């Protein structure tokens, strides 16, 4: 462990893939995963990073083609380390992205890619190109990484000498844009996007353009205008994304008729089966046999996507805390769009917004400290979206950022012939607003103007500007700069934002549309985001159960949906009872409280933290926490004490997995971090009581003890509190106190270690500005006193490490004050 994973340098830095095992559980992960995990764990010594899909939490199990895990080390070794398999993983199934991150594909992604490549080879050899038998479809759950799978498939297919081109075909312009972004991330310029049919034609005629991303609409126009074009005779692979949507109509038949030597493959998270097709068309009948399946049940079991928590809210009253029960509702759209009901729904959303989006919980995303997540509100129609936007703007509390987006629909499944579209697919929306009526166009112009004022932008509702508006909204949703986005159909399919955790839905959805809409919320981000929140203002329970059974199985409900509140709460009560009985606060001061007892306490308290994180999203939990805030802080303080003790001073700071079987849930501790302003508020309360309110003083110290980030500042805060008098100006005197002590402490280090004064002060100023203490490089060596670095002794290295340790303590004490 010390020689490899924890090492900061050495040959292990050049290992591409790591395997970790305790004999019975074995996983693999890339070097980038390892490096980012170390960076995340080092905490204040480096900028914190978000736990993305490249972090240590997302190491992969090895599995066979039927998604059966191979966790045992002996079985893992026989399969993963077989020369053919290992060489394929290393040379074919790793992607080095433009951000210099190494991604290693998961087993189901590899299996799907292999199956497609195998079908291309065998159908070519058997002379079946240009038929259904030459293709097939891949059923991979929404959120499982279909874009990476399709990219690798396209890239490897172009390496087959007899394949001329690979076309990745999407059915909407916004998905075209998103796919190009993803492809560009995997390999800059590897794919060729197009904004017009003319550019598409140029790319199809260019032998250097091997991978082309286009929309089915542009491809359809090209076919209609270029009968007999030479590209139709070339050996082409067509890959359709979201192939359950619009690949069943005339355009699809035109593609099959035009191309002569082709393979067609489809990717979908919600296939069309015989029992959910409106007519005779199914995914298998259109694309060929199923090549690989990885359902939502598989993805949730593997931790690649999150389960859902669904609230069914009575729309007659303003609030009804019903979980998983059919509730009475009103069918008529007149009543559904009644201003009183609209107001009730908006009041419910605003009342529960902080709770559902976890606004009291913090995390780090792209080096920015954020609190909580964001949400989408799905309205049933454009008039309903307009009413909701107006009501939200009228009722919204200060600081809540709300936007709306819709356009004229380009395809309405309910208006298509029965054999064209599957049941439940959401209507498509283009970027064309010309088809909107006068009221809707006028309203949308005003809403975009509101957005422009909010973000100092300059968008409008015409052509390319509206498309840019869409892209900007997408970007701000992903960066959690918007709180609520009101939509009709846009953003309910194909949109991925890890910061999105709640869908408020006042819309009749079913089957494909329901699973697609729900799945906007279940992207994995960190341990704070434990599930996707769905709040239904219509009777969707039967539709939810049907969709889960269709795209999972009859027993999938218990996996895809969270358990009812009562089950979690009973487990929570039992754990709290065990905690207070086995570990009263006084037990931690007992000399007999040894290492084994501490490990058991860590395990127990970690379970409680996880349950509290889930329960906090339930309305019923408020006021039923059992532990008082004071007791909770005391236990959390002890938890941090054990964590610091067990990690010791030798290893990287803040490492969460400390000692084999001991895993600390520090991310769930950090989510409730208090800041220095809160502490000063408590100190002010203490001062206002003429320094006689001991409870206020103790509350401040207890809050500091329960905080990871303020623990290093505890002694400083305690000394300040001792100086507080009735005449103290808390905020002003605190700033002076900090500056005085900061200067004195740094001068003491400079004097005791003989450091260069000016260089040391400039160095620490830079570190505070950058937010990290730079422990390597010339900056740190330039502040050290002259000393021979060679000569057979280790004095220089010892002195350097001693200085770094002192500066680290100094940095942690004053950083953020």
């Amino acid at each position: 462990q010390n020689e490899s994973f924890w090492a900061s340098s050495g040959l292990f830095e050049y290992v591409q893939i790591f395997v970790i095992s305790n004999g019975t559980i074995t996983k693999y992960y890339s070097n980038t995963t390892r490096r980012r995990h170390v960076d995340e764990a080092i905490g204040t010594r480096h900028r914190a990073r978000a736990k993305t899909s490249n972090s240590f939490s997302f190491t992969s199990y090895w599995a066979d083609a039927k998604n059966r895990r191979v966790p045992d080390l002996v079985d893992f070794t026989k399969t993963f380390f077989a020369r053919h398999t290992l060489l394929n993983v290393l040379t074919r199934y790793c992607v080095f992205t433009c951000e210099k991150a190494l991604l290693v594909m998961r087993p189901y992604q590899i299996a799907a890619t292999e199956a497609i490549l195998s079908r291309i080879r065998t159908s070519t050899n058997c002379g079946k190109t240009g038929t259904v038998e030459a293709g097939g479809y891949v059923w991979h759950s929404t959120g499982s990484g279909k874009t990476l799978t399709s990219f690798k498939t396209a890239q490897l297919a172009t390496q087959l000498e007899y394949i001329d081109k690979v076309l990745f075909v999407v059915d909407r312009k916004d998905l075209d844009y998103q796919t190009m972004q993803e492809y560009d991330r995997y390999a800059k310029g590897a794919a060729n996007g197009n904004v017009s049919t003319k550019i598409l034609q140029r790319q199809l005629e260019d032998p250097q353009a091997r991978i082309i991303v286009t929309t089915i609409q542009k491809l359809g126009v090209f076919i209609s205008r270029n009968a007999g074009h030479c590209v139709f005779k070339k050996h082409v692979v067509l890959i359709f994304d979201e192939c359950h949507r619009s690949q069943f109509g005339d355009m699809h038949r035109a593609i099959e008729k035009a191309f002569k030597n082709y393979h067609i493959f489809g990717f979908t998270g919600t296939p069309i089966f015989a029992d959910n097709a409106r007519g005779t068309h199914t995914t298998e009948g259109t694309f060929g046999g199923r090549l690989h399946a990885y359902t939502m049940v598989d993805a949730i079991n593997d931790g690649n996507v999150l389960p859902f928590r669904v609230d069914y809210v009575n729309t007659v009253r303003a609030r009804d805390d019903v979980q998983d029960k059919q509730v009475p509702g009103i069918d008529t759209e007149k009543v559904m769009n009644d201003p009183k009901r609209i107001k009730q729904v908006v009041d419910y959303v605003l009342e529960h917004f902080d709770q559902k989006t976890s606004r009291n919980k913090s995390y780090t995303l792209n080096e920015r400290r954020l609190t909580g997540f964001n949400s989408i509100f799905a309205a049933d129609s454009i008039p309903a979206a307009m009413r909701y936007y107006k009501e939200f703007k009228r009722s919204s509390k200060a600081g809540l950022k709300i936007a709306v987006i819709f356009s004229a629909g380009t395809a309405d499944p309910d208006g298509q012939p029965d054999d064209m579209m599957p049941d439940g697919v959401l209507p498509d929306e283009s970027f064309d607003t010309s088809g909107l009526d006068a009221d809707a166009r006028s309203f949308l112009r005003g809403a975009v103007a509101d957005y422009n004022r909010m973000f100092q932008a300059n968008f409008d509702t015409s052509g390319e500007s509206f498309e840019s508006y869409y892209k900007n909204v997408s970007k701000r949703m992903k960066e959690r700069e918007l709180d609520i986005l009101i939509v009709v159909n846009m953003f309910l399919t194909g949109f991925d934002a890890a910061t999105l955790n709640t869908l408020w839905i006042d819309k009749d959805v079913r089957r494909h549309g329901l699973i697609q809409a729900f799945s906007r919320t279940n992207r994995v981000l960190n341990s704070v985001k434990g599930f996707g929140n769905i709040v239904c203002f219509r009777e969707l329970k039967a539709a939810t159960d049907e969709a889960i059974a269709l795209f999972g199985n009859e027993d999938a409900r218990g996996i895809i949906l969270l358990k009812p509140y009562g089950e979690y709460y009973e487990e929570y009560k039992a754990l709290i009872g065990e905690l207070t009985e086995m570990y009263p606060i006084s037990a931690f001061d007992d000399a007999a409280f040894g290492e084994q007892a501490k490990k058991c306490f860590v395990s127990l308290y970690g379970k409680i933290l996880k349950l509290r994180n889930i329960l906090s999203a339930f309305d019923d939990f408020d006021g039923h926490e059992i532990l008082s805030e004071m007791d909770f802080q005391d236990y959390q303080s002890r938890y941090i004490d054990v964590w610091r003790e067990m990690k010791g001073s030798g290893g990287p700071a803040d490492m969460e997995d400390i000692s084999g079987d001991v895993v600390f849930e520090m991310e769930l501790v950090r989510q409730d971090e208090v800041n220095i302003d809160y502490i000063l508020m408590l100190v002010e309360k203490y001062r206002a009581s003429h320094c006689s309110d001991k409870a206020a003083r103790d509350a401040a110290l207890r809050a500091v003890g329960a905080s990871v980030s303020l623990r290093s500042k505890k002694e400083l805060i305690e000394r300040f509190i001792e100086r507080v008098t009735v005449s103290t100006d808390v905020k002003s005197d605190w700033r002076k106190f900090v500056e005085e002590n900061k200067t004195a402490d740094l001068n003491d280090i400079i004097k005791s270690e003989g450091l260069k004064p000016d260089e040391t002060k400039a160095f620490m100023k830079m570190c505070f500005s950058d937010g990290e203490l730079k422990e390597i490089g010339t900056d740190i060596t330039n502040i050290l006193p002259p000393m021979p670095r060679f000569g057979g002794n280790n004095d220089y290295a010892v002195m350097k490490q001693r200085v770094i340790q002192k500066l680290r303590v100094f940095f942690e004490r004053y950083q953020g004050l």
Side-chain angles (χ1 to χ4, degrees):
Q1 195 173 46
N2 290 333
E3 298 296 332
S4 58
F5 193 88
W6 298 83
S8 60
S9 59
L11 289 176
F12 280 99
E13 288 291 304
Y14 300 95
V15 172
Q16 189 167 323
I17 294 175
F18 287 83
V19 173
I20 188 169
S21 179
N22 63 0
T24 56
I25 299 175
T26 309
K27 302 182 85 174
Y28 68 98
Y29 52 95
S30 74
N31 194 317
T32 296
T33 296
R34 171 197 174 276
R35 175 170 52 80
R36 290 189 177 178
H37 172 66
V38 172
D39 284 351
E40 288 163 4
I42 288 175
T44 54
R45 290 168 60 192
H46 290 271
R47 291 191 186 95
R49 289 182 171 87
K51 287 201 171 182
T52 65
S53 56
N54 299 315
S55 71
F56 188 72
S57 302
F58 302 92
T59 53
S60 296
Y61 286 102
W62 187 236
D64 63 17
K66 294 185 178 180
N67 306 314
R68 292 175 298 211
R69 289 181 184 173
V70 185
D72 183 81
L73 181 58
V74 174
D75 296 334
F76 181 94
T77 304
K78 288 177 181 176
T79 53
F80 188 87
F81 284 121
R83 279 177 292 183
H84 173 76
T85 303
L86 185 58
L87 283 171
N88 267 334
V89 172
L90 288 169
T91 61
R92 290 163 64 83
Y93 297 117
C94 284
V95 176
F96 193 61
T97 73
C98 293
E99 293 111 1
K100 298 188 176 179
L102 182 68
L103 309 180
V104 55
M105 292 173 71
R106 295 172 176 140
Y108 61 88
Q109 295 174 312
I110 295 172
T113 304
E114 287 281 354
I116 292 174
L117 295 173
S118 175
R119 180 60 57 89
I120 292 173
R121 292 189 194 97
T122 56
S123 58
T124 299
N125 293 337
C126 296
K128 292 186 176 180
T129 56
T131 68
V132 174
E133 287 83 2
Y137 78 95
V138 172
W139 176 10
H140 278 190
S141 169
T142 303
S144 61
K146 292 195 293 292
T147 306
L148 176 58
T149 310
S150 68
F151 169 78
K152 247 312 168 187
T153 301
Q155 193 179 57
L156 293 173
T158 59
Q159 294 175 14
L160 299 173
E161 58 183 20
Y162 46 83
I163 297 298
D164 296 308
K165 288 190 184 296
V166 177
L167 273 68
F168 190 79
V169 187
V170 297
D171 71 335
R172 287 211 316 269
K173 202 171 183 180
D174 52 322
L175 291 181
D176 180 18
Y177 167 70
Q178 184 165 300
T179 302
M180 276 303 304
Q181 278 191 315
E182 288 294 300
Y183 272 27
D184 260 1
R185 188 168 74 86
Y186 299 143
K188 192 73 175 174
N192 297 265
N194 41 71
V195 295
S196 68
T197 306
K198 191 174 290 186
I199 294 175
L200 172 62
Q201 179 173 342
R202 197 156 53 232
Q203 291 166 346
L204 288 170
E205 294 169 352
D206 180 3
Q208 301 304 314
R210 302 295 305 282
I211 301 175
I212 299 171
V213 179
T214 188
T215 64
I216 191 171
Q217 291 82 6
K218 280 188 285 233
L219 186 58
V221 171
F222 169 79
I223 290 171
S224 66
R225 293 177 180 174
N226 295 275
H229 195 282
C230 62
V231 75
F232 297 139
K233 297 179 182 179
K234 292 188 179 296
H235 200 159
V236 176
V237 175
L238 296 105
I239 300 173
F240 285 85
D241 189 29
E242 304 294 349
C243 68
H244 60 272
R245 289 183 57 86
S246 58
Q247 279 75 46
F248 295 90
D250 293 336
M251 283 193 216
H252 190 87
R253 285 193 284 271
I255 290 169
E256 289 181 316
K257 187 176 179 180
F259 287 92
K260 309 301 180 188
N261 193 20
Y262 64 81
H263 311 263
I264 293 184
F265 299 99
F267 280 81
T268 180
T270 49
I272 311 304
F273 304 116
D275 58 353
N276 67 312
R278 286 189 175 179
T280 58
H281 286 293
T282 64
T283 301
E284 184 165 343
T286 303
F287 288 90
R290 184 193 303 169
L291 299 176
H292 193 259
Y294 185 77
T295 68
M296 187 176 291
V297 173
D298 297 319
I300 291 173
N301 281 333
D302 286 347
N304 292 326
V305 297
L306 302 173
F308 302 112
R309 184 195 168 239
V310 185
D311 277 328
Y312 302 102
V313 178
N314 191 327
T315 59
V316 177
R317 296 195 303 272
R319 170 175 175 166
D320 184 54
D321 299 331
V322 177
Q323 169 69 25
D324 288 348
K325 292 182 181 177
Q326 188 77 24
V327 295
I330 305 295
D331 288 325
T332 64
E333 287 306 307
K334 182 178 179 182
V335 174
M336 286 295 187
N337 290 322
D338 184 273
K340 291 181 181 177
R341 179 183 176 275
I342 297 282
K343 185 177 188 311
Q344 287 179 339
V345 171
V346 169
D347 287 346
Y348 182 93
V349 172
L350 296 178
E351 181 184 351
H352 292 82
F353 183 83
D354 287 355
Q355 175 201 9
K356 301 300 183 188
T357 60
S358 303
R359 281 306 161 103
N360 65 323
K361 300 174 182 179
S362 60
Y363 60 95
T364 301
L365 178 71
N366 299 331
E367 301 185 1
R368 295 183 302 133
R369 196 68 180 166
L370 301 176
T371 54
F373 307 103
N374 54 1
S375 64
I376 283 178
F377 188 102
D380 199 53
S381 63
I382 289 174
M386 292 161 58
R387 292 187 186 99
Y388 272 117
Y389 181 76
K390 290 174 183 175
E391 186 61 37
F392 270 115
K393 296 295 282 187
R394 182 163 47 245
S395 306
S396 178
K397 51 189 170 181
L400 211 57
K401 293 182 179 178
I402 299 170
V404 63
I405 188 167
F406 56 78
S407 67
T410 58
D412 180 0
D414 292 317
Q416 295 287 343
D418 284 347
D419 65 344
M420 289 288 191
M421 295 296 292
D423 190 21
V425 171
L426 292 168
D428 192 14
E429 286 191 73
S430 71
F431 294 129
D432 179 22
T433 60
S434 61
L436 296 172
D437 62 42
D439 286 345
R441 275 203 308 274
S442 174
F443 170 86
L444 191 57
R445 279 195 293 271
V448 173
D450 290 345
Y451 184 91
N452 288 337
R453 284 190 291 272
M454 187 161 44
F455 293 111
Q456 291 76 54
N458 189 31
F459 303 110
D460 58 49
T461 60
S462 62
E464 291 184 5
S465 183
F466 187 70
E467 183 177 343
S468 297
Y469 172 65
Y470 169 91
K471 292 176 181 178
N472 195 262
V473 168
S474 173
K475 176 175 178 289
R476 293 192 188 279
M477 283 296 291
K478 291 180 180 183
E479 295 179 356
R480 219 234 66 199
E481 294 178 9
L482 276 170
D483 295 308
I484 300 175
L485 175 63
I486 300 170
V487 304
V488 180
N489 294 311
M490 277 184 169
F491 287 88
L492 294 183
T493 59
F495 175 67
D496 291 341
T499 62
L500 178 66
N501 87 320
T502 300
L503 173 69
W504 317 90
I505 186 160
D506 186 25
K507 182 181 183 71
D508 288 318
V509 288
R510 61 190 185 276
R511 295 188 169 184
H512 299 79
L514 184 144
I515 291 295
Q516 289 287 331
F518 281 21
S519 296
R520 298 315 102 209
T521 67
N522 73 342
R523 299 305 188 267
V524 175
L525 178 63
N526 51 30
S527 58
V528 180
K529 184 184 176 185
F531 47 86
N533 255 322
I534 312 296
V535 182
C536 302
F537 298 105
R538 301 205 178 198
E539 293 183 17
L540 295 178
K541 185 179 185 303
T544 300
D545 291 345
E546 181 194 19
I548 289 172
L550 181 63
F551 299 116
N553 54 55
E554 294 296 336
D555 302 317
R557 192 176 184 281
I559 297 170
I560 293 175
L561 299 183
L562 289 191
K563 295 180 289 188
Y565 168 79
E567 292 186 36
Y568 288 113
Y569 191 70
E570 287 303 313
E571 185 180 354
Y572 175 77
K573 272 202 310 186
L575 290 177
I576 292 293
E578 186 179 343
L579 177 72
T580 53
E581 180 181 346
M582 293 182 61
Y583 304 104
I585 294 298
S586 59
F588 294 91
D589 300 322
D590 192 336
F593 193 72
E595 183 176 342
Q596 190 56 43
K598 290 174 182 175
K599 287 184 177 182
C600 292
F601 165 70
V602 166
S603 175
L604 176 60
Y605 194 74
K607 293 176 185 176
I608 290 172
L609 285 172
K610 287 181 178 180
L611 277 174
R612 277 179 65 102
N613 189 49
I614 294 173
L615 286 166
S616 63
F618 287 88
D619 300 342
D620 295 348
F621 189 59
D622 187 28
H624 296 85
E625 294 87 352
I626 304 177
L627 282 180
S628 69
E629 185 65 23
M630 183 185 301
D631 288 342
F632 182 69
Q633 287 182 338
D634 282 340
Y635 276 113
Q636 189 145 297
S637 180
R638 300 298 183 175
Y639 187 73
I640 297 170
D641 284 340
V642 176
W643 169 64
R644 286 186 174 272
E645 177 187 334
M646 293 192 75
K647 78 181 176 67
S649 58
D654 291 3
M655 192 63 74
E656 293 176 19
D657 191 346
I658 304 291
S659 179
D661 55 344
V662 182
V663 178
F664 287 83
E665 300 292 341
M666 296 312 295
E667 192 168 24
L668 293 179
V669 171
R670 292 188 186 96
Q671 71 178 23
D672 294 318
E673 285 284 286
V674 298
N675 57 29
I676 195 65
D677 291 334
Y678 175 74
I679 300 299
L680 293 180
M681 182 267 290
L682 295 176
V683 175
E684 175 61 36
K685 185 178 177 182
Y686 170 64
R687 185 206 64 79
S689 70
H690 300 280
C691 303
S692 62
D693 188 352
K694 187 174 182 298
R697 177 184 181 279
D698 291 345
L701 296 177
R702 187 177 291 108
V704 172
S707 165
V708 179
S709 62
L710 294 183
R711 185 60 82 85
S712 60
K713 312 173 196 327
K714 185 177 181 180
E715 182 265 339
L716 192 68
I717 294 170
E718 285 178 345
R719 281 197 283 126
F720 177 71
I721 292 176
E722 294 303 323
R723 290 178 42 162
V724 170
T725 65
V726 176
S727 60
T728 299
D729 182 334
V730 173
K731 289 190 176 180
S732 176
D733 288 0
W734 166 252
R735 284 194 294 270
K736 293 176 185 175
F737 177 79
V738 168
E739 284 304 315
E740 290 170 2
N741 282 269
K742 186 177 179 181
T743 301
D745 286 353
L746 186 57
N747 285 335
D748 286 345
I749 295 173
I750 292 170
K751 183 177 180 181
S752 64
E753 295 295 339
L755 305 179
K756 300 173 184 175
D758 293 340
E759 288 84 345
T760 303
K761 291 172 183 176
F763 170 70
M764 290 310 302
K765 183 177 181 180
M766 177 185 67
C767 291
F768 283 120
S769 175
D770 291 346
E772 67 174 304
L773 182 71
K774 294 177 169 46
E775 299 180 11
I776 57 175
T778 57
D779 289 329
I780 186 72
T781 56
N782 285 341
I783 73 173
L784 300 175
M787 191 173 185
R789 303 190 186 191
F790 308 101
N793 65 65
N794 202 31
D795 290 349
Y796 180 84
V798 170
M799 184 265 292
K800 181 179 178 181
Q801 286 305 311
R802 187 176 65 245
V803 169
I804 288 173
Q805 180 61 29
K806 288 185 177 181
L807 291 178
R808 186 187 305 149
V809 171
F810 171 80
F811 178 82
E812 291 180 358
R813 179 179 296 159
Y814 291 101
Q815 171 65 359
L817 296 183

